[in-house]
């Protein structure tokens, strides 16, 4: 047998070149799911998380300031077919896979499932259906994640890493009712009709001391607004060491029924409690379906003077907006660090003046727009571009479950594709003035009050109280300043509310305890009750709110 040495050398050289080519191939990750997870195709978004430590599962480390992750959409993905994450996939906080430093990491993949919604407005959209977890893909029931792997990553060498998501997240266990705490969850006919899919809303009710032993007594209600949670209001816990538990069970604290509401949407963990083009009639559902059910089951004084509001951040905006938009239904609000009450500063962005959401333009130069700062020094923690890139990695078409996206879905119009029409392009930052005008006409609270004060002002006298730190982490104090500038100049009538500031206070700054807040509310309600407001026949206004 003759051996062609030239042929052998050529074959060896070809093998060596192919090995080098493989070794230098771009770094990529291939992620799939088995038929045991779903025998039918799925639509959603696949995430790859790369962490430096494993003290916590990588998926649970993702956040605004969290670990590295990438995300990519997929449609009608069949079992076994991989989703690819490579150099073209956008990541955060490092944007490109090739820029990940060489090293050893812990990696994990998560499949976020989308649901098809055939909405009443004629649009069909694919979004994540909240499973009572608060619109969080990292822990949403039904989502699927992989085992954690420790791998060596060197973008210069490349290669392919394969993962399979196999563990389905189980349903959320809602806490059981107790003597103090009760839960309600109902399917909303109004929201179900809008979304073309069952939509649920609910409430956690904290009952006052003596509720069981005084069956003829009715109570004022305080609605604490905020992000999704099934926990009781005011961080109440049935623990003798819990400060609010001690106050709530004492004989000195005014008696209220305290309530938190749950109203997550396919866009966010919270609907902002108003009717909006993209989220549907949440305001109607809350006020015409949920609250009537609460007042049917529990002994609430069913009059506006005895319903008061509070909340911080998201809940700060909601409590203020609900008081303004439903001026007769509620008797007063104490709104802490509210989301933008005036859209001249939306986490640093002036939606009316800025041409780009990512930077401020001056005559000769541009300055990045800050989004988040650290009190009390004011050091910038995130820019607007960084914050929006983080949301874009979490989800395209506004499906990030993030703060800027929920504002766009609540405050903005519906786009031609059925998802919200964005205020600005999340890749370039270019603003859309037509969307800014829509925001202004529909949900700029300062503009709304200025335009409607002659009619709504008389119903709001003494009801608006805003509390905010002057070094708010997200620049929310600026919107409060604009609101104060208008309200303190009102006449016929004067607003007669209050603004309270913490000179170096950040987003979580509070000047007093929850117990003291309830005492302020009690005095406010009693003053209103003595001016002619009546209580239900079974209620005795002298008892309701006794100190």
């Amino acid at each position: 047998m003759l051996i062609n040495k030239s042929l052998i050398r050529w074959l060896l050289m070809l093998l060596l070149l192919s090995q080098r080519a493989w070794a230098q191939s771009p770094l990529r990750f291939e992620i799939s799911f088995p038929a045991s997870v779903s025998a039918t195709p799925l639509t959603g978004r696949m995430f790859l998380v790369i962490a430096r430590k494993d003290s916590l599962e990588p998926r649970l480390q993702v956040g605004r300031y969290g670990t590295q992750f990438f995300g990519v959409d997929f449609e009608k993905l069949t079992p076994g077919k991989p989703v690819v994450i490579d150099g073209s996939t956008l990541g955060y906080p490092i944007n490109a896979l090739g820029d990940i430093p060489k090293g050893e990491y812990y990696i994990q993949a998560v499949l976020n499932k989308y649901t098809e919604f055939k909405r009443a407005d004629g649009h069909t959209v694919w979004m994540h259906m909240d499973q009572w977890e608060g619109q969080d893909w990292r822990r949403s029931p039904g989502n699927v994640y992989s085992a954690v792997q420790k791998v060596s990553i060197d973008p210069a060498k490349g290669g392919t890493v394969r993962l399979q998501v196999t563990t389905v997240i189980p349903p959320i266990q809602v806490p059981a009712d107790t003597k103090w705490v009760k839960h309600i969850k109902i399917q909303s006919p109004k929201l179900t009709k809008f979304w073309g899919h069952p939509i649920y809303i609910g409430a956690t009710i904290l009952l006052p001391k003596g509720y069981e032993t005084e069956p003829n007594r009715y109570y004022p209600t305080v609605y604490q607004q905020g992000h999704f949670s099934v926990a009781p209001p005011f961080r109440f816990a049935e623990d003798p060491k819990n400060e609010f538990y001690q106050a709530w069970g004492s004989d000195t604290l005014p008696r209220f029924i305290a309530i938190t509401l749950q109203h997550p949407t396919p866009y966010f963990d919270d609907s902002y409690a108003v009717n909006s083009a993209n989220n549907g009639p949440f305001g109607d559902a809350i006020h015409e379906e949920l609250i009537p059910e609460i007042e049917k089951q529990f002994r609430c004084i069913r009059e506006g003077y005895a319903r008061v509001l509070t909340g911080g951040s998201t809940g700060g905006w909601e409590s203020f907006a609900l008081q303004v938009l439903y001026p007769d239904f509620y008797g007063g609000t104490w709104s802490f660090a509210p989301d933008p009450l005036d859209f001249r500063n939306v986490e640093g962005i002036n939606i009316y003046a800025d041409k780009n959401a990512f930077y401020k333009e001056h005559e000769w130069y541009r300055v990045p727009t800050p989004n988040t700062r650290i009190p009390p020094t004011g050091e910038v923690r995130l820019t607007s571009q960084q914050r929006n890139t983080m949301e874009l990695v979490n989800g395209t078409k506004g499906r990030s479950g993030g703060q800027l996206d929920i504002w766009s879905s609540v405050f903005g119009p519906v786009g031609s594709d059925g998802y919200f029409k964005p205020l600005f392009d999340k890749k370039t930052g270019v603003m859309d003035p037509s969307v800014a005008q829509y925001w202004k006409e529909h949900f700029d609270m300062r503009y709304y009050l200025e335009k409607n004060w002659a009619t709504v002002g008389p119903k709001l006298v003494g009801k608006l109280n805003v509390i905010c730190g002057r070094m708010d982490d997200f620049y929310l104090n600026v919107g409060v300043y604009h609101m104060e500038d208008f309200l303190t100049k009102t006449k016929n009538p004067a607003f007669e509310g209050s603004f309270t500031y913490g000179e170096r206070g950040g987003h979580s700054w509070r000047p007093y305890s929850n117990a003291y807040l309830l005492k302020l509310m009690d005095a406010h309600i009693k003053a209103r009750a003595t001016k002619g407001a009546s209580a239900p026949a079974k209620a005795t206004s002298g008892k309701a709110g006794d100190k």
Side-chain angles (χ1 to χ4, degrees), residues 516-538:
Y516 186 79
L517 172 63
L518 290 176
K519 292 179 180 179
L520 292 177
M521 292 175 169
D522 178 61
H524 176 86
I525 289 172
K526 285 180 175 177
R528 299 266 162 176
T530 59
K531 290 181 180 179
S534 61
K538 292 184 179 180

Side-chain angles (χ1 to χ4, degrees), residues 137-366:
W137 60 261
R138 303 172 305 168
R139 61 185 191 90
S140 179
N143 280 358
V144 195
Y145 61 89
S146 72
V148 179
Q149 294 185 36
K150 186 177 183 180
V151 298
S152 294
I153 293 178
D154 185 353
K157 289 185 177 180
T160 299
V161 180
R162 295 179 175 84
L163 300 94
Q164 191 173 70
V165 294
T166 56
T167 303
V168 179
I169 300 175
I172 296 289
Q173 297 298 316
V174 177
D177 286 353
T178 69
K179 167 189 171 182
W180 296 99
V181 181
K182 310 295 181 181
H183 299 86
I184 290 177
K185 184 177 182 181
I186 63 172
Q187 181 175 331
S188 164
K190 295 178 184 293
L191 296 170
T192 296
K193 180 179 179 181
F194 175 83
W195 282 99
H197 187 280
I199 300 293
Y200 296 87
I201 52 180
T204 302
I205 297 96
L206 177 61
L207 298 176
K209 181 180 180 180
Y211 185 86
E212 294 178 331
T213 58
E214 299 180 79
N216 294 321
R217 180 172 178 176
Y218 282 65
Y219 301 85
T221 49
V222 51
Y223 285 90
Q224 185 182 42
Q225 303 289 338
H227 290 286
F228 181 93
S229 174
V230 294
F234 301 115
R235 298 183 179 180
F236 174 92
E238 296 184 41
D239 180 351
K241 296 180 180 179
N242 180 272
E243 183 178 352
F244 189 73
Y245 174 83
Q246 297 172 16
W248 190 256
S250 71
D251 293 325
T252 59
L253 196 69
R255 306 289 173 82
F256 283 86
I257 294 176
I259 301 166
T260 56
L261 303 181
Q262 293 90 39
H263 39 101
T265 88
Y267 274 108
F268 197 53
D269 75 340
D270 186 280
S271 72
Y272 275 64
V274 294
N275 297 336
S276 63
N278 290 287
N279 290 281
F282 271 91
D284 290 347
I286 289 169
H287 293 91
E288 297 173 22
E289 296 172 348
L290 182 57
I291 291 180
E293 183 63 27
I294 294 170
E295 294 186 341
K296 176 183 176 183
Q297 293 191 33
F298 300 95
R299 298 194 305 277
C300 308
I301 299 175
R302 302 175 190 178
E303 296 203 35
Y305 82 93
R307 300 186 192 100
V308 293
L309 295 153
T310 190
S313 192
T314 289
W317 190 92
E318 288 175 333
S319 57
F320 190 94
L322 290 181
Q323 182 61 75
V324 168
L325 299 176
Y326 299 84
D328 297 317
F329 192 84
Y330 297 103
T333 185
W334 284 258
S335 303
F336 294 82
D339 285 355
L341 298 178
D342 182 296
F343 294 153
R344 281 174 284 182
N345 192 297
V346 177
E347 290 198 349
I349 304 167
N350 184 331
I351 76 166
Y352 307 129
D354 291 346
K355 296 179 181 179
N356 193 292
F358 297 162
Y359 55 78
K360 304 292 184 186
E361 247 185 297
H362 302 284
E363 184 178 4
W364 291 98
Y365 60 91
R366 294 175 176 177

Side-chain angles (χ1 to χ4, degrees), residues 356-409:
N356 193 292
F358 297 162
Y359 55 78
K360 304 292 184 186
E361 247 185 297
H362 302 284
E363 184 178 4
W364 291 98
Y365 60 91
R366 294 175 176 177
V367 179
T369 296
N371 171 276
T372 308
R373 60 184 172 181
I374 303 173
T377 64
E379 177 186 348
V380 175
R381 181 77 185 269
L382 282 179
T383 66
S384 177
Q385 185 170 17
Q386 289 172 320
R387 173 66 180 271
N388 280 284
T389 299
M390 181 269 293
E391 291 198 4
L392 189 55
V393 175
N394 271 285
T396 59
K397 298 183 182 294
R399 296 175 292 194
S400 71
Q403 193 66 70
L404 276 298
D405 279 346
I406 184 56
W407 286 339
S408 283
S409 75

Side-chain angles (χ1 to χ4, degrees), residues 468-489:
C468 190
R470 293 189 186 274
M471 189 57 72
D472 186 273
D473 300 43
F474 311 110
Y475 302 89
L476 299 176
N477 53 302
V478 180
V480 174
Y481 298 157
H482 288 310
M483 181 61 76
E484 183 184 28
D485 287 344
F486 167 71
L487 285 177
T488 53
K489 294 181 178 69

Side-chain angles (χ1 to χ4, degrees), residues 408-445:
S408 283
S409 75
V410 173
F411 304 151
V414 179
S416 59
D417 61 356
Y419 302 91
F420 68 73
K421 189 175 183 181
L423 177 66
F424 55 87
D425 188 304
K426 276 191 179 288
K427 292 182 179 178
T428 66
V430 175
M431 301 285 295
D432 185 333
S434 68
V435 177
Q437 186 64 26
Y438 186 100
W439 279 40
K440 179 179 182 179
E441 293 295 338
H442 289 77
F443 288 106
D444 186 315
M445 287 292 106

Side-chain angles (χ1 to χ4, degrees), residues 25-31 48 50 68 70-72 83-91 94-100 159-161:
S25 65
L27 179 62
R28 57 188 274 137
F29 293 81
E30 296 183 356
I31 308 166
L48 170 71
I50 302 175
Q68 179 67 40
F70 296 84
V72 64
V83 170
V84 175
I85 290 177
D86 57 19
S88 65
T89 310
L90 183 66
I94 295 174
N95 300 151
L97 188 59
D99 292 333
I100 300 292
T160 299
V161 180

